């Protein structure tokens, strides 16, 4: 930025408020360009399309579209300049403050910081066994060594082996000056490189290549300013604290996170849904690019899913789609809401189970369950939204017998639900936790943590192999607020206990079929693999009607009945019951007798 190395004098005299003002100015340019683009698109182009149909109108639309792209480019690049200057201001404040304190300490001790950064100290007299000893004054140069590093050049001793007591103090101050100046120069050079990239092409002809350059510029600014952006985020605070932090940010600061560092806030519980959605939409292309360069079957699986989500985001859905979380860690992460969960009174969050991961089946199949639930709930209360929460590693088939995934997922789910409670605008909000398959164990485990599942009024369990608790009342939402759907032909709702599973394996050696039949051999009980059968009388939940589903075909697997609870085309009764509960109209569901 400066064109020359910073000295301690230049750092001392640097007026950071001027840099901050420059950042504010570029932010204003960015904001105006964004507003002008919106006005061009909505007030001019849209009306022209609606009212005119001619060769001249099409030509005018072409020019307006070019103008819109120009505004978009200015908005993006000016915003990047603003973020870079804000980051520079914030980071330089620390070494400037360190230098100021070092200079003050030098003045208090009567030392002089010389133009080259060395520190002069005065003569001193010490008293010892041999009487008074005079020590001449001198000067020392500082180093950038850390305080605990060995001193490369200890103070020169006096004639009787005793050094001037001022020497060590002067050296410490000289080191502090050197470290402050060295840090400032590193920061200055880093930000100068980022600013040097932010140059518009001549003529401002905005092309696809131009926007590709914007993406590269954004990546460069993100890497440069990451320390500045990260330092303010309340990572270890509650979702409510994070919302308070976000609300206290200026619009300019919020834009910096959303546009420059979307990965830092897109998955942060407590950030409003609209902001999370925009951040994750910005982050999605970065993840796609990362996976494209990564290679391997796992990356290809996630890449196909991310491209599928990107395609769905470009389509119009009713209710609209919000991307509340996206990531590639583990088996992949995706949190999608149909309807705005902040402005909707009724909000459900569905936890999928066995074999769910970020793949094409999740995008094209599992996500539709949340969309169907949202559509169904809106028939009973328009103020409804439905979420699918793949915020943990659901077990794959070989891991289904372990409770480990549920224990890891439970605190993450509770944090997400706490975030929804913090951002929802309704005082009388109605939240429903939905656990399907192994997801019901995750929901059950989440309910056992301190305080239960934040904000949840009702719990729905479908296709459940057990929740880890013995009674519905143990789930913490009160009597009459736990609802269970269990298809008779769903093998997962008949999984044997661990003791019965051993007998089942023995039975299989004699050619007997697995599933419900095996469970009945020798051990008739109301228990499943992960505890009491939620559909049993002993558990005490409200059981609602579902279609029995197709009977298992043992040679081919037979899990069709396990996958249709949410789908109106396959199980209209179950889908309608779930929708009523989510919409807060549970009194209208169709009940079914306990097992």
């Amino acid at each position: 930025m400066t064109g020359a190395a910073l000295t301690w004098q230049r750092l001392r005299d640097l007026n950071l408020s001027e840099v901050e003002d420059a950042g504010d100015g570029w932010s204003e340019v960015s904001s105006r360009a964004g507003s002008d683009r919106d006005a061009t698109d909505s007030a001019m182009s849209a009306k022209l399309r609606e009212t005119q149909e001619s060769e001249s109108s099409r030509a005018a639309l072409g020019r307006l579209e070019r103008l819109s792209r120009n505004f978009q480019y200015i908005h993006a690049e000016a915003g990047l300049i603003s973020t870079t200057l804000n980051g520079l201001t914030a980071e330089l404040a620390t070494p400037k403050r360190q230098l100021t304190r070092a200079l003050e300490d030098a003045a208090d001790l009567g030392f002089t910081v010389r133009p080259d950064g060395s520190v002069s100290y005065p003569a001193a007299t010490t008293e010892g066994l041999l009487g008074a000893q005079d020590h001449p004054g001198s000067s020392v140069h500082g180093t950038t060594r850390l305080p605990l590093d060995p001193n490369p050049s200890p103070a020169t001793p006096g004639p009787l082996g005793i050094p001037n007591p001022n020497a060590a103090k002067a050296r410490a101050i000289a080191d502090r000056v050197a470290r402050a100046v060295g840090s400032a120069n590193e920061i200055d050079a880093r930000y100068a490189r980022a600013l040097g990239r932010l140059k518009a092409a001549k003529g401002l002809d905005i092309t696809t290549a131009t926007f590709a350059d914007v993406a590269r510029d954004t990546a460069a600014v993100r890497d440069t300013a990451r320390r500045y952006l990260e330092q303010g985020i309340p990572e270890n605070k509650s979702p409510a604290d994070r919302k308070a932090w976000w609300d206290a940010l200026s619009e300019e600061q919020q834009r910096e996170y959303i546009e420059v560092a979307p990965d830092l806030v897109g998955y942060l519980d407590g950030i409003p849904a609209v902001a999370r959605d925009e951040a994750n939409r910005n982050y999605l292309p970065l993840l796609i690019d990362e996976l494209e360069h990564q290679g391997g079957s796992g990356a290809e699986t996630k890449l196909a899913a991310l491209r599928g989500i990107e395609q769905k985001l470009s389509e119009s859905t009713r209710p609209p789609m919000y991307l509340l979380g996206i990531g590639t860690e583990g088996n992949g992460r995706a949190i999608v809401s149909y309807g705005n969960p902040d402005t909707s009174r009724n909000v459900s969050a569905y936890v999928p189970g066995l074999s769910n991961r970020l793949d094409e089946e999740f995008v094209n199949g599992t996500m539709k369950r949340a969309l169907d639930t949202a559509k169904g709930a809106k028939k009973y209360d328009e103020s409804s939204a439905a979420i699918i929460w793949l915020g943990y590693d659901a077990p794959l088939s070989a891991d289904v017998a372990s409770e480990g995934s549920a224990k890891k997922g439970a605190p993450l789910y509770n944090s997400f639900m706490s975030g929804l409670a913090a951002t929802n605008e309704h005082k009388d909000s109605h939240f429903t936790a939905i656990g399907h398959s192994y997801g019901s164990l995750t929901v059950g485990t989440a309910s056992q943590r301190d305080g239960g599942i934040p904000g949840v009024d009702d719990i729905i369990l479908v296709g459940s192999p057990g929740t880890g608790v013995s009674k519905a009342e143990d789930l913490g939402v009160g009597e009459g607020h736990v609802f269970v759907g269990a298809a008779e032909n769903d093998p997962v709702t008949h999984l044997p206990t661990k003791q019965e599973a051993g007998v089942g394996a023995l039975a299989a050696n004699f050619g007997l079929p697995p599933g419900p039949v095996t469970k009945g051999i020798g051990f008739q009980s109301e228990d499943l693999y992960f505890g009491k059968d939620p559909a049993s009388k002993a558990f005490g939940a409200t059981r609602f009607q579902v279609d029995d589903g197709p009977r298992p075909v043992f040679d081919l697997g037979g899990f069709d009945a396990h996958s249709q609870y949410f789908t109106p085309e396959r199980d209209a009764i179950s889908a309608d019951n779930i929708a009523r509960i989510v919409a807060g109209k549970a009194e209208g569901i169709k009940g079914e007798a306990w097992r």
Side-chain angles (χ1 to χ4, degrees):
M1 180 189 74
T2 62
L6 281 169
T7 62
W8 70 262
Q9 297 96 329
R10 296 184 73 185
L11 179 59
R12 176 197 62 192
D13 299 336
L14 182 62
N15 188 346
L16 290 178
S17 64
E18 293 180 353
V19 184
E20 187 175 18
D21 289 344
D24 292 342
W26 282 103
S27 175
E28 179 65 21
V29 172
S30 176
S31 178
R32 288 183 180 179
S35 298
D36 290 342
R37 182 199 176 200
D38 291 341
T40 301
D41 291 345
S42 59
M44 300 172 70
S45 296
K47 290 184 178 180
L48 190 59
R49 287 192 186 91
E50 293 172 1
T51 61
Q52 302 294 322
E53 180 59 45
S54 66
E55 197 65 36
S56 60
S57 67
R58 284 190 288 272
L61 278 172
R63 289 192 291 271
L64 286 172
E65 288 170 358
R66 180 179 180 181
L67 178 62
S68 175
R69 290 195 301 272
N70 288 346
F71 282 137
Q72 181 182 0
Y73 179 73
I74 295 170
H75 168 72
E77 290 288 298
L80 291 176
I81 295 173
S82 173
T83 297
T84 306
L85 293 174
N86 289 341
L88 177 64
T89 302
E91 289 201 43
L92 280 179
T94 298
K96 180 175 171 61
R97 185 166 55 250
Q98 292 168 343
L99 173 67
T100 299
R101 290 172 179 169
L103 295 177
E104 290 172 348
D105 289 346
D108 290 342
L109 292 168
F111 298 170
T112 300
V113 180
R114 303 170 71 176
D116 64 355
S118 62
V119 177
S120 297
Y121 56 90
T125 300
T126 60
E127 295 288 341
L129 295 176
L130 300 180
Q133 180 181 354
D134 294 327
H135 306 278
S138 186
S139 63
V140 291
H141 287 273
T143 71
T144 56
R145 67 181 179 85
L146 297 174
L148 296 181
D149 289 344
N151 192 333
S153 52
T156 303
L160 298 179
I162 302 173
N164 186 328
N166 289 322
K169 297 176 183 178
R171 184 178 302 283
I173 290 176
D175 286 349
R176 288 163 62 191
V177 171
R179 286 196 298 270
V181 173
S183 175
N185 273 297
E186 182 279 324
I187 293 167
D188 184 47
R190 178 156 44 89
Y191 277 91
R193 289 192 297 271
L195 282 170
R197 291 183 55 94
L198 303 176
K199 297 178 180 178
K202 291 182 179 180
L204 205 60
D205 185 17
I206 307 303
T207 64
T208 301
T210 306
F211 283 114
D213 188 59
V214 171
R216 289 189 291 270
D217 289 348
T218 303
V221 172
R222 179 170 57 252
D223 292 342
T224 299
R226 192 170 189 87
R227 190 182 309 166
Y228 149 66
L229 292 167
E230 284 180 337
Q231 66 185 8
I233 297 178
E235 285 281 356
N236 299 319
K237 298 290 186 177
S238 70
D241 289 333
R242 293 173 189 156
K243 182 181 184 299
W245 164 76
W246 181 262
D247 290 345
L249 295 177
S250 67
E251 183 179 352
E252 174 192 353
Q253 291 171 318
Q254 292 177 352
R255 297 309 312 169
E256 285 179 345
Y257 282 108
I258 290 172
E259 296 178 1
V260 180
D263 56 312
L264 296 181
V265 296
Y267 219 94
L268 202 60
D269 298 324
I271 304 301
V274 171
R276 286 182 73 161
D277 174 64
E278 187 176 357
N280 286 310
R281 287 173 187 254
N282 291 338
Y283 186 37
L284 185 57
L286 303 180
L287 286 177
I288 290 175
D289 181 68
E290 178 183 308
L291 289 177
E292 285 176 339
H293 291 87
Q294 184 174 323
S297 59
E300 288 296 326
T301 296
K302 294 172 185 174
L303 181 59
L306 293 182
R307 286 173 174 159
I309 290 175
E310 187 176 48
Q311 176 61 37
K312 288 187 178 297
L313 287 169
S314 69
E315 301 168 353
S316 177
T317 60
R318 291 181 59 85
M321 178 178 171
Y322 291 80
L323 188 60
L324 303 183
I326 195 71
T328 58
E329 60 268 32
N331 296 329
R333 304 284 187 267
I335 306 174
V336 174
S337 179
Y338 290 98
N340 187 332
D342 292 345
T343 59
S344 298
R345 191 181 79 83
N346 305 295
V347 182
S348 67
Y350 154 44
V351 184
L354 174 65
S355 296
N356 272 280
R357 55 179 176 169
L358 190 60
D359 58 13
E360 289 183 284
E361 172 59 30
F362 173 82
V363 174
N364 297 320
T366 311
M367 277 173 47
K368 183 178 179 295
R369 296 172 186 171
L371 177 58
D372 286 335
T373 297
K375 288 180 177 179
K378 279 183 169 293
K379 294 178 181 178
Y380 298 104
D381 188 336
E382 185 61 31
S383 185
S384 298
I387 299 168
I388 181 162
W389 184 84
L390 186 64
Y392 79 127
D393 280 334
L396 303 179
S397 57
D399 307 317
V400 70
S402 169
E403 297 178 10
S405 292
K407 290 179 179 178
K408 291 177 181 178
L412 301 174
Y413 183 69
N414 279 3
S415 175
F416 176 73
M417 296 304 293
S418 181
L420 291 183
T423 58
N424 189 273
E425 299 173 3
H426 292 265
K427 294 182 179 179
D428 60 342
S429 60
H430 171 246
F431 287 179
T432 303
I434 304 177
H436 174 227
S437 187
Y438 186 94
S440 63
L441 176 63
T442 304
V443 169
T445 305
S447 75
Q448 299 308 293
R449 297 182 64 83
D450 289 346
I453 306 176
V456 166
D457 303 284
D458 293 317
I459 291 177
I460 300 175
L461 309 168
V462 288
S464 176
T467 63
V469 302
S470 299
K471 293 182 177 296
E473 63 190 40
D474 296 334
L475 294 176
V477 290
E479 184 177 358
H481 290 275
V482 179
F483 302 87
V484 176
E488 284 306 304
N489 291 325
D490 178 356
V492 175
T493 69
H494 297 281
L495 281 179
T497 64
K498 295 176 183 178
Q499 185 180 18
E500 292 172 326
V503 174
L506 179 64
N509 290 333
F510 291 94
L512 294 175
V517 177
T518 306
K519 183 184 185 326
I521 298 175
F523 295 95
Q524 293 288 351
S525 72
E526 294 175 319
D527 294 325
L528 299 179
Y529 199 91
F530 293 117
K532 194 69 64 179
D533 181 358
S536 69
K537 181 177 181 180
F539 190 77
T542 299
R543 187 180 182 191
F544 58 84
Q545 285 186 29
V546 302
D547 189 274
D548 285 344
R551 289 187 59 80
V553 180
F554 300 117
D555 293 337
L556 300 177
F559 276 80
D560 287 350
H562 185 61
S563 305
Q564 64 183 34
Y565 293 101
F566 302 89
T567 309
E569 298 85 357
R570 298 174 61 189
D571 190 343
I573 297 175
S574 176
D576 184 69
N577 283 330
I578 292 172
R580 287 176 182 269
I581 297 166
V582 168
K585 310 293 183 182
E587 66 277 3
I589 66 172
K590 297 178 180 178
E592 187 164 356
W594 290 310
R595 284 178 174 169

